[in-house]
DNA sequence: CTACGATCTAGAGCGAGGTCTAGATCAAGC
DNA sequence: GCTTGATCTAGACCTCGCTCTAGATCGTAG
């Protein structure tokens, strides 16, 4: 890839915000916090230029955050990647641990869902019978 | 139910904390914030005594919180219940809206899960092939 | 009666995860 | 050259949801 091709593919912070769903504030915050793998390139004027690899990494960050990974873990993962090859086992462990947490979360949510669904059914049934049943007094 | 039976069934804040998983601090906080349906009864000495109905409500609160309902919504729900019969439609709406959010959350988590699973598979495969493949450089 | 642990109130403090502000600079269009 | 909008930095500020502290009181076991 030539320099001009790289420049053509690179994106401004605003464009990256659009593509990732993160705010420009959050993007700068993530960078300060060391959550990115490399330092973001700058134009001669000092503006950030994100490469497609940067964006790919950010999209993964978004997925990990969305699923509840704390910023600290994300930072740790970024550090491992920065260190380069040799620590793949640790990266794997980090991801797999998180996957287990996500599984637990899904299960917990499904339990909540069934409790809520049951309550919704109770109210629906009551309303379907109409106000005629004036004595019904839901405790909750 | 006689007064003494009610007393026998009632629980101290510590016992309720155990049964609900909330801390005693959180229980007092919830009360202050108006998240409970009624005022908690007190002993002559001023200690709280929770009824089984209080505990049942708290268990529902826990499920709703666990599934991401904000305290403000929980408070709103509690207010509706406090107002008594007549607003069941609104309660239903509140719960059903939340159920939809939970569904969306579960779906989002499942997407995250599949992204993570894929990444885990990539690393596993790499590690299974061993370090012989020295040129492999994961971008993330 | 004395300890000692549980509970009380009011209010301060905290950690996570951003968000926003001020004031300056950059870059593109007219 | 001038205007306008995007971006820059450093750092203050915010919301949420508790958590903790201090100092007093209650209540039970010995």
């Amino acid at each position: 890839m030539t320099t001009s091709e790289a420049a053509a593919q690179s994106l401004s912070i605003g464009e990256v915000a659009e593509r990732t769903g993160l705010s420009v504030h959050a993007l700068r915050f993530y960078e300060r916090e060391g959550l990115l793998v490399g330092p973001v390139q700058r134009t001669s004027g000092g503006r950030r230029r994100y490469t497609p690899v940067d964006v790919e990494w950010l999209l993964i960050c978004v997925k990990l955050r969305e699923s509840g990974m704390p910023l600290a873990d994300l930072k740790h993962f970024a550090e491992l990647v920065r260190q380069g090859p040799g620590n793949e086992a640790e990266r794997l462990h980090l991801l797999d641990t998180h996957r287990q947490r996500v599984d637990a979360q899904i299960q917990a949510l499904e339990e909540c869902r069934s409790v809520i669904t049951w309550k919704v059914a109770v109210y629906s049934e009551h309303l379907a019978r109409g106000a005629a049943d004036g004595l019904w007094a839901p405790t909750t």
Side-chain angles (χ1 to χ4, degrees), chain A:
Chain A
M1 203 197 293
T2 69
T3 304
S4 61
E5 274 166 355
Q9 281 196 28
S10 77
L11 299 173
S12 72
I13 195 169
E15 290 165 330
V16 174
E18 260 181 50
R19 278 163 180 72
T20 59
L22 295 165
S23 71
V24 295
H25 294 297
L27 284 168
R28 289 192 281 245
F29 170 72
Y30 277 25
E31 186 177 343
R32 251 185 308 186
E33 293 296 299
L35 268 50
L36 304 192
V37 169
V40 178
Q41 292 177 26
R42 302 291 183 122
T43 65
S44 56
R47 271 79 204 283
R48 290 172 180 82
R49 298 307 302 186
Y50 292 82
T51 67
V53 170
D54 291 333
V55 175
E56 195 195 336
W57 171 251
L58 281 167
L59 289 171
I60 290 173
C61 286
V62 166
K63 281 297 175 201
L64 293 174
R65 285 288 307 127
E66 233 180 82
S67 51
M69 181 182 282
L71 291 187
D73 290 14
L74 209 40
K75 182 174 183 176
H76 183 193
F77 191 22
E79 274 159 5
L80 291 175
V81 176
R82 255 198 300 284
Q83 281 168 23
N87 57 22
E88 286 81 1
E90 199 175 343
R91 298 186 206 176
L92 174 58
H93 178 67
L94 198 156
L95 286 178
D96 204 46
T97 299
H98 183 60
R99 191 168 55 79
Q100 285 171 38
R101 281 197 304 250
V102 172
D103 283 347
Q105 240 185 115
I106 290 173
Q107 235 192 302
L109 276 182
E110 268 160 1
E111 266 179 56
C112 296
R113 203 196 105 98
S114 79
V115 168
I116 297 164
T117 299
W118 172 75
K119 271 230 156 280
V120 164
V122 170
Y123 276 113
S124 295
E125 204 179 316
H126 170 60
L127 285 171
R129 280 203 313 273
D133 186 359
L135 288 178
W136 184 73
T139 54
T140 49

